[in-house]
Amino acid sequence: MGIFKYFFRTRDKPQNKMSGSTYNFLTGISSSGSKVNEKTAMQMTAVYSCVRVLSETLASLPIHIYEVTNNKREKAINHPLYKVLHDEPNPEMTSFIFRETLMSHLLLWGNAYAQIIRNGRGEVLGLYPLMPDKMTVDRDDSGHIYYEYKSSGMGGESIKLSESDVLHIPGLGFDGLVGYSPIAMAKNAIGMAIATEEYGAKFFSNGATPSGILEHPGTVKNPQAMRESWSKGFSGNNAHKVAILEEGMKYTPISISPNEAQFLETRKFQINEIARIFRVPPHMVGDLEKSSFSNIEQQSLEFVKYTLDPWVSRWEQAITKKLLSDEEKQKYSIKFNVDGLLRGDYQSRMNGYAVGRQNGWMSANDIRALENLDMISKEDGGDLYLVNGNMLPLKNAGAFANIEEKEKEDGKSEEEVLELSKKKNKKQKRRS
């Protein structure tokens, strides 16, 4: 045990930066000059759409606690944690709102935190979200992780929480303890999208009139007054008015037009760039350029498999680790149900059900449950598992059935009878 204590004491503290480097993965001014943080990023429609798609999708998935008994898996609706996860994590939130909030924190800050409220027996009574930007993760002298939360409602005092009191879902990180903010990691790409949007807004607020040079053949006594007079008369709401130039003055535009600067192409590329950060298919954020009726269903399935599944695994494992005791982990499991997202069109589902029904591994009630239909009573055969009549047990088929009784009387096993049947079939083929 002394070795393990030494190991935990010498482990690095959780930190949001690269070890041995002064570069921090923090939000701030990007290379384009635009300020990027979680709030300014959410003002970008592409970022907002990606966060909303992932948060709402995960929040809408049914979450259940299952108990495995006698090789059967059943919903443990009587478990104290079932209502907390499935219905109401706390009196102020539904399960959907709670998971949507934590998922948005996870996507923007790279970490999601919730305070765990327990009773005297250690059972979870409630979960309350905590803001990631007010949370600090640290390690004490004994090597144990603890959380320090700066509350805004108690005079700015910090509250120290033990590891068992916080549900922490970390995103991608280098130490496995604290996740890095996707917004901070990709602040230059998001900053460029913000810069192009600001450029377009300023361009059109100026009446889409480019700046230029006013040339005067003589000497201008007050250039500042002339500049202000020109801007007041021929920009903004007064743009596109006919300008009258006196005293031989000449106007020469010098700005590059948005078309020449590939303004629209840049904005479109940045939308795809942001979608790439969150691994969201472009058609789910409104870009249908490369989508069609033939491939959009496949792209939606890939979204579930390659985008949503990793997040679901993070949630399931974090909840299991923090909210279930070691004894409960042996017989209980927490799972999100993604079957609804993987459902095909009506014809494909019916064909799949027909195969399952005809081959005996689905009953009528199994199918009706998946389609949210009322159950058929047991008396009417709703729970029967049927197979086609031409599928017989091997012992009743062909030459094997003809010799079965005689050979069994001689004390031969089923395997020996089957081997004799094969030899007799070979002899018959040779004779023919």
Side-chain angles (χ1 to χ4, degrees):
M1 289 299 295
I3 296 176
F4 289 105
K5 288 182 179 178
Y6 176 78
F7 170 73
F8 283 118
R9 284 199 301 267
T10 56
R11 285 203 65 188
D12 292 334
K13 294 183 177 181
Q15 52 186 350
N16 189 13
K17 72 174 185 178
M18 293 180 64
S19 178
S21 173
T22 57
Y23 180 81
N24 289 350
F25 291 124
L26 301 175
T27 54
I29 302 298
S30 63
S31 300
S32 63
S34 300
K35 184 179 180 180
V36 179
N37 55 40
E38 290 77 15
K39 294 181 180 179
T40 59
M42 280 290 279
Q43 293 177 347
M44 287 295 304
T45 56
V47 175
Y48 182 86
S49 297
C50 290
V51 173
R52 183 178 179 182
V53 164
L54 286 169
S55 300
E56 291 181 347
T57 303
L58 186 134
S60 63
L61 295 177
I63 182 172
H64 301 288
I65 302 178
Y66 292 97
E67 182 179 6
V68 180
T69 56
N70 299 327
N71 296 326
K72 291 184 179 180
R73 192 180 73 165
E74 298 179 349
K75 294 178 183 177
I77 58 176
N78 294 323
H79 194 284
L81 188 59
Y82 190 92
K83 181 182 177 182
V84 174
L85 294 178
H86 186 269
D87 300 321
E88 296 179 7
N90 58 69
E92 301 172 349
M93 297 180 180
T94 63
S95 178
F96 181 97
I97 298 298
F98 173 79
R99 285 182 281 149
E100 181 187 42
T101 302
L102 257 65
M103 187 61 184
S104 64
H105 291 174
L106 190 54
L107 294 168
L108 293 173
W109 280 276
N111 296 276
Y113 304 95
Q115 185 178 3
I116 305 173
I117 307 299
R118 305 178 190 269
N119 60 16
R121 292 176 293 182
E123 297 173 344
V124 179
L125 298 179
L127 298 169
Y128 288 85
L130 299 173
M131 289 300 297
D133 56 344
K134 297 180 180 179
M135 182 69 77
T136 302
V137 187
D138 209 337
R139 193 186 297 276
D140 59 21
D141 295 336
S142 300
H144 298 105
I145 295 291
Y146 70 89
Y147 298 86
E148 192 170 354
Y149 189 71
K150 189 174 183 179
S151 175
S152 58
M154 299 180 62
E157 296 181 2
S158 296
I159 303 172
K160 189 175 181 179
L161 300 169
S162 65
E163 186 178 8
S164 60
D165 292 332
V166 177
L167 170 63
H168 180 197
I169 308 173
L172 176 64
F174 290 163
D175 57 8
L177 299 174
V178 177
Y180 294 134
S181 166
I183 303 300
M185 296 286 280
K187 66 179 180 182
N188 288 330
I190 298 174
M192 186 172 180
I194 294 175
T196 55
E197 188 170 86
E198 290 176 349
Y199 172 80
K202 291 178 180 179
F203 179 80
F204 286 104
S205 69
N206 196 38
T209 302
S211 59
I213 297 176
L214 276 175
E215 299 181 32
H216 194 280
T219 301
V220 180
K221 296 180 180 180
N222 192 347
Q224 180 65 25
M226 181 175 291
R227 184 185 300 110
E228 292 177 356
S229 176
W230 177 268
S231 299
K232 183 178 180 180
F234 303 105
S235 64
N237 296 330
N238 296 323
H240 307 297
K241 285 187 175 182
V242 177
I244 300 176
L245 301 179
E246 300 176 316
E247 301 178 359
M249 286 193 300
K250 181 181 178 183
Y251 176 78
T252 304
I254 60 173
S255 293
I256 301 174
S257 68
N259 184 43
E260 294 175 350
Q262 296 183 332
F263 172 69
L264 295 178
E265 288 80 0
T266 302
R267 291 205 63 191
K268 183 180 292 186
F269 178 80
Q270 290 309 117
I271 291 175
N272 288 330
E273 190 83 343
I274 293 172
R276 190 179 296 117
I277 296 168
F278 295 98
R279 204 189 299 167
V280 173
H283 77 271
M284 300 191 77
V285 294
D287 185 0
L288 300 175
E289 184 177 359
K290 296 182 180 179
S291 299
S292 63
F293 289 108
S294 60
N295 68 3
I296 199 166
E297 182 178 356
Q298 185 61 36
Q299 290 184 43
S300 298
L301 294 177
E302 290 178 355
F303 167 74
V304 177
K305 184 176 181 180
Y306 298 113
T307 304
L308 197 61
D309 268 356
W311 290 114
V312 168
S313 297
R314 286 182 189 274
W315 275 77
E316 290 174 346
Q317 295 182 15
I319 292 174
T320 301
K321 179 178 182 294
K322 286 297 184 73
L323 304 186
L324 292 180
S325 65
D326 292 338
E327 295 180 358
E328 290 177 325
K329 292 174 185 176
Q330 303 299 322
K331 60 178 181 178
Y332 292 104
S333 62
I334 298 172
K335 294 291 181 184
F336 285 87
N337 187 357
V338 298
D339 291 343
L341 298 177
L342 297 174
R343 293 175 64 180
D345 57 82
Y346 185 80
Q347 182 178 359
S348 300
R349 297 202 311 273
M350 293 304 111
N351 290 337
Y353 295 150
V355 172
R357 179 71 163 151
Q358 292 169 9
N359 288 279
W361 50 272
M362 292 189 79
S363 67
N365 281 340
D366 292 337
I367 298 171
R368 295 178 72 85
L370 293 174
E371 291 294 317
N372 294 320
L373 299 174
D374 295 334
M375 298 294 103
I376 299 174
S377 65
K378 184 178 296 185
E379 292 77 12
D380 293 333
D383 294 328
L384 289 178
Y385 293 89
L386 309 173
V387 294
N388 287 322
N390 60 349
M391 298 179 67
L392 301 174
L394 180 61
K395 63 181 182 180
N396 297 331
F400 183 84
N402 297 331
I403 66 170
E404 179 184 12
E405 295 301 328
K406 181 178 181 305
E407 302 296 348
K408 279 192 174 180
E409 289 176 0
D410 296 338
K412 292 183 173 61
S413 65
E414 234 178 73
E415 290 77 8
E416 292 173 327
V417 173
L418 179 59
E419 189 64 29
L420 287 171
S421 175
K422 291 180 179 179
K423 290 180 180 179
K424 288 186 178 182
N425 287 335
K426 289 180 180 180
K427 289 180 181 180
Q428 290 175 359
K429 289 181 179 178
R430 290 172 184 171
R431 291 174 185 175
S432 60

